[in-house]
Amino acid sequence: MAILPILVAPDPRLKTKAKAVEKVDDGIRQLMEDMLETMYQAPGIGLAAPQVGVAKRVVVIDVAKEDEEPQPLRMVNPEIIWASDDEELYEEGCLSLPEQFADVVRSVAVRVRYVDHQNEIREFDADDILGICVQHEIDHLEGTLFVDHISKLKRNMILRKLQKARKDQPVTV
Ligand code: NI
């Protein structure tokens, strides 16, 4: 397994639509394991392949609490096949927008269909933190970040902060 570098906004690769995976092979399985290790180390509860520079529809999630057994979800080509009309406001962050948070409106519950690491098609219903996380990660596959759901003013403020943080980083040679 390997820890992969996580892209930080504004990076054009985070704004690209990811391509569907035709077959789950060893390469995809390895990518999912590397993404899980990267996510746990960050630490985060979800990671999409575009965040590690891979433009494929692959997502990993684990919303287990610290004192619970890990519950890793490995999803290929995930799609939301139903979303509740009810919406809720939830404060979100993202590993690609470090230390930035904003309230985002999401569906309260969604039904997700995906292909698992053994090429089986699966479905599940998600609400609460898992529901939010799934919607956030599938957004990444469309090149959508949580800041794309908030006002332009607030989005630009966050992106400018991140750009400045990048410029202020010391150069290591
Ligand atoms: Ni994210």
Side-chain angles (χ1 to χ4, degrees), residues 46-48 51 92-97 133 136-137 140 144-146:
L47 191 67
Q51 293 181 273
E92 292 186 26
C94 178
L95 294 174
S96 293
L97 296 111
C133 189
H136 176 117
E137 301 310 331
H140 272 299
T144 302
L145 302 174
F146 79 80

Side-chain angles (χ1 to χ4, degrees), residues 75-82 110-116 120-125 134 138:
M75 296 193 278
V76 171
N77 302 336
E79 51 182 326
I80 289 168
I81 55 171
W82 171 83
V110 290
R111 181 164 300 149
V112 183
R113 183 180 293 156
Y114 69 100
V115 178
D116 75 3
E120 300 285 338
I121 294 172
R122 292 182 180 275
E123 268 181 36
F124 69 102
D125 291 327
V134 166
I138 291 177

Side-chain angles (χ1 to χ4, degrees), residues 23-158:
K23 187 176 180 294
V24 182
D25 57 15
D26 285 344
I28 294 293
R29 279 188 279 271
Q30 185 62 52
L31 172 66
M32 290 194 281
E33 295 316 303
D34 290 346
M35 284 170 61
L36 277 170
E37 192 181 3
T38 303
M39 180 189 82
Y40 287 132
Q41 199 247 0
I45 58 168
L47 191 67
Q51 293 181 273
V52 292
V54 178
K56 289 181 180 160
R57 301 185 84 82
V58 175
V59 161
V60 295
I61 287 177
D62 191 337
V63 296
K65 294 189 186 74
E66 257 180 65
D67 56 346
E68 293 173 343
E69 286 288 304
Q71 294 161 25
L73 268 168
R74 300 165 174 87
M75 296 193 278
V76 171
N77 302 336
E79 51 182 326
I80 289 168
I81 55 171
W82 171 83
S84 67
D85 291 332
D86 283 350
E87 294 179 321
E88 65 186 332
L89 203 59
Y90 201 90
E91 189 182 47
E92 292 186 26
C94 178
L95 294 174
S96 293
L97 296 111
E99 291 164 53
Q100 308 303 317
F101 302 92
D103 284 335
V104 177
V105 178
R106 301 277 189 192
S107 297
V108 168
V110 290
R111 181 164 300 149
V112 183
R113 183 180 293 156
Y114 69 100
V115 178
D116 75 3
H117 57 297
Q118 290 165 321
N119 270 299
E120 300 285 338
I121 294 172
R122 292 182 180 275
E123 268 181 36
F124 69 102
D125 291 327
D127 60 4
D128 204 28
I129 185 97
L130 180 59
I132 305 288
C133 189
V134 166
Q135 293 174 75
H136 176 117
E137 301 310 331
I138 291 177
D139 263 3
H140 272 299
L141 305 180
E142 296 298 314
T144 302
L145 302 174
F146 79 80
V147 288
D148 294 317
H149 292 286
I150 62 178
S151 75
K152 194 176 172 190
L153 188 76
K154 196 143 189 233
R155 173 166 64 248
N156 288 341
M157 208 171 73
I158 288 178

